[in-house]
Each structure stands twice: as structure tokens, then as C-alpha cells.
């Protein structure tokens, strides 16, 4: 049986992501051990992470006392084996190379306690590719934090065919304790986050390559229009609020211009044919909306967007936005 409550962790690979994950878990009160390629590299990483945590706290970016908690909870080990030997949870965060991950996961699972849960922070490699290297595949899953790990709340979870459901439950409980939101997705290459991100990025590149807009103008449009909504609502909630019938009509133009690649999705067509047009007529992707629910949603949306505009005014333009203004792009 695997652990029920995760109180201690080892992070293998103390680079950009592993370091941020270690800071987050240690700040939340977990005992965390780090290991990288050599004791010297691990020690350097620890010093960098402590200095960074102090700077975050001085700048008011993390709650007061976090630096102290990270200092007392975060330690180093001289090898992968020493780091993982007596912890409840191990997160592998080494280079995104199948061969390196396989070797490291083999070593981790050979040295870890049989009840320890093992996660990988891979951004793209499916669980079924890495799992054969793990002894005790039922305790292995992807626990995909986002960059920068100390600040981004979402974590993608991916189970393999052998992963036990209770392992996912235990990891989700730990993530909730460290103020993370988790979502479970199926074991397909690139998962959900990067699949969506890559499609957007690829299309954005096609747009600049076709001379339709500059990279700077594409970025302005993304962040100030539909991207402005994304901290609060995903594409399905946005579609429900926009009106699914509006999408069906919009896709006619898109398909005429770009072919089947941008034809209307079957699910949208089906919902509209069933008379479900979204919030405006009481049914859509999120099931049915009562009048009260619809009013509450619109009021929340308006408050959220007004607050977002206020936050952006308070922060001022990003350095890239200032650069754009300076160069007149
Ligand atoms: N950078 C991102 O934006 C991002 C976002 C999400 C997930 N990820 C994933 O997180 C993982 C780590 O990425 P990163 O950006 O932190 O990379 P990174 O290069 O900053 O860190 C990788 C660390 O792993 C260490 N390492 C390499 N081989 C090792 C070994 N055999 N034993 C022990 N340590 C070893 C390296 O020394 C380095 O410190 C990758 O799987 C990556 O795809 C990255």
C-alpha cells in the first residue's frame, strides 16, 4: 500500500523547475530533500534557492515567514539514492530527455521505500513511455508543475494504466495543501497544457509568417482580448458566455478561409442543434443555467475583469510593452 498522506519529499533535478517545486513544498511545511548531478551542484542549487526565497519574501511575493520555513525544511543529499531513501513522495525534474529520465527513474524507484509515490515533472513524455523503468508502476504518475513553479497554481496529473486511483487522491490532497489546483488528464503525448499551448503558438507563428501581424501586435491582441479572460474562465466557460450559436456562425467564415482545419467542432454543432446556446438561453457545456446562476456568473465576470484591469494599471506595462513603445512597434 502507498502512503496516504505526503509529509516529506525528495526533488531530483534541482534546476529551474525542481528548485521552484522544492521551494513551494518546503514553504508549505513539508520536509524536502534535493539531489542533482553531484553534491556540489546540489549545494549550489540550495544556496540559489535560499537567496531567491529571501528576495521573494523581501519583495512581498510570498507570505512572511516562507524564507525561514524553506531554510529549515529544505536540505540536500549527496546522491539520488540518499535523497529518496526515506521520503513519502519523489518528484523527478531532470532534463526533458527520455534516456536521462528513464535512468534516473530506475535509480529512484530502486532506492525509494516501497510505499513511496513517484512523480515526474515531464512536460510532454507519456507515462506509458517512462513507467516501464519504474519498479512499482502502480505508484507512478506525472505531476506536471508549470513555470515559474513558485507562483503558477495549476498542476497537470497523468496516470498510467497501472497507476492506482488512491495514489492520485493522495497527490491531489498534497497539492491542495501547497495551494495548487490540479486536473487529471489522459496519458497522451504533450497532455493538455502543452497541446493547447503549442496549437496557439503554431498558429501565432503562421500569422506572423503570413505577414498578418507582428509578434508584438499578436501578443497585444492575445493578452488584452481573449487572454484577459483566461485567469478566470477556460474556453468552454467563455464559449457558454459568448453564445454557442455565435461560434457556429463564426466557424463558417473560418472554414471558408482555412478549410477543414478550422471547421466548426462537432460538439458545438450538436449542442446548438439541441437548442443549447449557452448562458443566454440556459444550457451549454456546463449543463443548465438557472436565471440566478446566469446573473451570478455575469456579475462575477464583470467584477473579475474590472479587477483585472485595475491590477494591470497598478502593475504598469511589462518591460516588453515598454520596449515596444520605445521602438515604436
Ligand atoms: N522550464 C519549463 O518551463 C518547464 C515547465 C514545466 C515542466 N518542465 C519540465 O521540468 C523538467 C526540468 O526542466 P527544467 O526547466 O527545470 O530544466 P533545468 O535544465 O533547469 O533543470 C534540470 C536539472 O536536472 C539536473 N539533472 C540532469 N540530469 C540529472 C541526473 N542524471 N541526476 C540528477 N540531476 C540531473 C540538471 O543538473 C539540472 O539542474 C523537464 O522535464 C521539463 O520538461 C519545464
Amino acid at each position: 500500500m502507498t502512503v496516504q498522506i505526503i509529509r516529506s519529499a525528495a526533488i531530483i533535478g534541482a534546476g529551474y523547475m525542481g528548485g521552484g517545486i522544492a521551494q513551494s513544498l518546503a514553504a508549505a511545511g513539508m520536509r524536502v530533500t534535493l539531489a542533482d548531478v553531484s553534491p556540489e551542484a546540489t549545494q549550489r542549487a540550495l544556496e540559489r534557492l535560499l537567496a531567491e526565497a529571501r528576495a521573494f519574501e523581501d519583495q512581498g511575493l510570498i507570505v512572511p515567514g516562507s524564507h525561514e520555513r524553506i531554510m529549515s525544511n529544505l536540505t540536500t543529499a549527496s546522491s539520488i539514492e540518499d535523497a529518496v531513501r526515506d521520503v513519502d513522495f519523489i518528484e523527478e525534474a531532470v532534463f526533458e530527455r527520455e534516456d536521462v529520465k528513464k535512468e534516473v527513474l530506475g535509480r529512484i524507484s530502486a532506492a525509494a521505500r516501497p510505499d513511496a509515490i513517484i512523480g515526474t515533472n515531464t512536460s510532454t513524455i507519456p507515462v506509458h513511455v517512462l513507467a516501464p523503468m519504474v519498479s512499482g508502476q502502480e505508484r507512478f504518475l506525472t505531476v506536471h508543475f508549470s513555470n515559474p513553479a513558485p507562483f503558477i497554481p495549476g498542476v497537470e496529473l497523468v496516470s498510467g494504466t497501472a497507476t492506482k486511483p488512491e495514489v492520485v487522491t493522495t497527490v491531489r490532497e498534497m497539492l491542495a495543501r501547497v495551494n495548487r489546483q490540479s486536473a487529471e488528464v489522459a496519458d497522451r503525448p504533450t497532455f493538455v497544457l502543452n497541446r493547447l499551448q503549442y496549437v496557439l503558438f503554431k498558429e501565432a507563428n503562421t500569422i506572423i509568417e503570413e505577414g498578418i501581424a507582428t509578434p508584438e501586435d499578436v501578443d497585444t491582441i492575445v493578452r488584452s482580448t481573449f487572454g484577459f479572460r483566461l485567469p478566470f474562465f477556460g474556453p468552454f466557460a467563455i464559449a457558454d458566455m459568448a453564445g454557442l450559436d455565435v461560434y457556429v456562425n463564426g466557424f463558417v467564415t473560418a472554414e471558408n478561409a482555412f478549410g477543414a482545419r478550422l471547421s466548426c467542432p462537432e460538439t458545438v454543432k450538436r449542442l446548438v442543434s439541441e437548442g443549447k446556446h449557452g448562458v443566454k438561453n440556459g444550457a451549454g457545456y456546463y449543463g443548465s443555467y438557472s436565471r440566478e446562476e446566469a446573473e451570478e456568473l455575469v456579475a462575477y465576470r464583470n467584477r473579475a475583469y474590472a479587477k483585472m484591469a485595475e491590477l494591470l494599471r497598478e502593475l504598469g506595462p511589462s518591460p516588453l510593452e515598454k520596449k515596444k513603445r520605445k521602438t515604436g512597434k
Side-chain angles (χ1 to χ4, degrees):
M1 196 158 108
T2 48
V3 286
Q4 310 275 290
I5 297 182
I6 297 171
R7 294 198 174 86
S8 58
I11 310 295
I12 308 304
Y16 191 47
M17 290 305 295
I21 297 166
Q23 286 169 327
S24 304
L25 303 190
M30 285 171 56
R31 178 167 62 80
V32 180
T33 312
L34 274 179
D36 205 279
V37 280
S38 66
E40 296 72 31
T42 311
Q43 188 56 34
R44 277 197 303 276
L46 177 68
E47 284 159 20
R48 169 177 59 81
L49 294 172
L50 294 180
E52 203 178 70
R54 177 181 285 285
F56 288 159
E57 188 166 328
D58 289 348
Q59 293 161 38
L61 306 183
I62 52 179
V63 292
S66 297
H67 172 252
E68 189 64 38
R69 270 197 305 283
I70 294 171
M71 272 219 306
S72 55
N73 287 329
L74 189 56
T75 53
T76 59
S78 55
S79 68
I80 293 179
E81 285 74 12
D82 283 346
V84 306
R85 216 178 299 286
D86 188 26
V87 295
D88 301 330
F89 172 69
I90 299 125
E91 175 81 337
E92 169 278 305
V94 302
F95 301 140
E96 186 75 356
R97 273 189 31 201
E98 216 177 288
D99 56 339
V100 180
K101 286 198 182 288
K102 282 181 169 171
E103 196 254 333
V104 168
L105 284 167
R107 285 176 61 188
I108 289 173
S109 59
R113 288 189 336 234
D115 66 336
I117 293 174
I118 301 173
T120 168
N121 197 51
T122 177
S123 315
T124 55
I125 308 170
V127 174
H128 66 258
V129 171
L130 298 173
M133 299 310 292
V134 178
S135 69
Q137 291 186 29
E138 71 287 345
R139 56 173 168 162
F140 178 61
L141 76 172
T142 294
V143 183
H144 180 208
F145 285 80
S146 271
N147 154 34
F151 303 113
I152 303 279
V155 179
E156 242 178 344
L157 298 177
V158 189
S159 293
T161 46
T163 315
K164 283 207 186 128
E166 54 265 38
V167 166
V168 181
T169 306
T170 302
V171 171
R172 291 191 98 148
E173 187 280 326
M174 175 203 70
L175 292 169
R177 249 189 292 135
V178 298
N179 294 318
R180 293 303 195 278
Q181 297 166 30
S182 55
E184 202 182 347
V185 308
D187 190 26
R188 298 283 184 285
T190 76
F191 316 133
V192 169
L193 188 168
N194 278 320
R195 185 160 163 189
L196 289 174
Q197 221 175 213
Y198 288 171
V199 168
L200 175 65
F201 188 53
K202 182 143 199 259
E203 200 65 23
N205 275 280
T206 306
I207 285 170
I208 65 166
E209 285 154 14
E210 288 177 351
I212 292 167
T214 62
E216 292 80 1
D217 284 342
V218 171
D219 277 357
T220 297
I221 289 163
V222 171
R223 64 175 179 72
S224 66
T225 63
F226 71 86
F228 192 86
R229 306 175 182 130
L230 295 178
F232 312 101
F233 304 109
F236 298 113
I238 289 170
D240 269 3
M241 283 186 268
L244 303 184
D245 52 326
V246 178
Y247 273 65
V248 171
N249 292 335
F251 269 111
V252 172
T253 311
E255 185 173 6
N256 286 342
F258 304 107
R261 186 170 69 83
L262 281 188
S263 63
C264 188
E266 288 308 315
T267 311
V268 186
K269 282 200 247 175
R270 179 180 52 77
L271 287 168
V272 170
S273 73
E274 290 167 0
K276 297 172 179 165
H277 293 190
V279 176
K280 63 183 168 192
N281 80 344
Y285 280 95
Y286 277 75
S288 61
Y289 296 93
S290 66
R291 181 194 287 267
E292 295 71 39
E293 283 173 333
E295 283 172 5
E296 195 187 351
L297 181 59
V298 169
Y300 176 90
R301 180 199 66 188
N302 293 346
R303 247 189 355 266
Y305 295 170
K307 287 278 182 199
M308 181 61 133
E310 197 180 307
L311 172 68
L312 289 172
R313 272 194 302 276
E314 184 193 315
L315 282 173
S318 80
L320 288 175
E321 187 61 12
K322 284 190 204 154
K323 185 177 155 99
K324 175 181 163 185
R325 287 180 196 172
K326 220 183 284 171
T327 54
K329 278 191 179 165

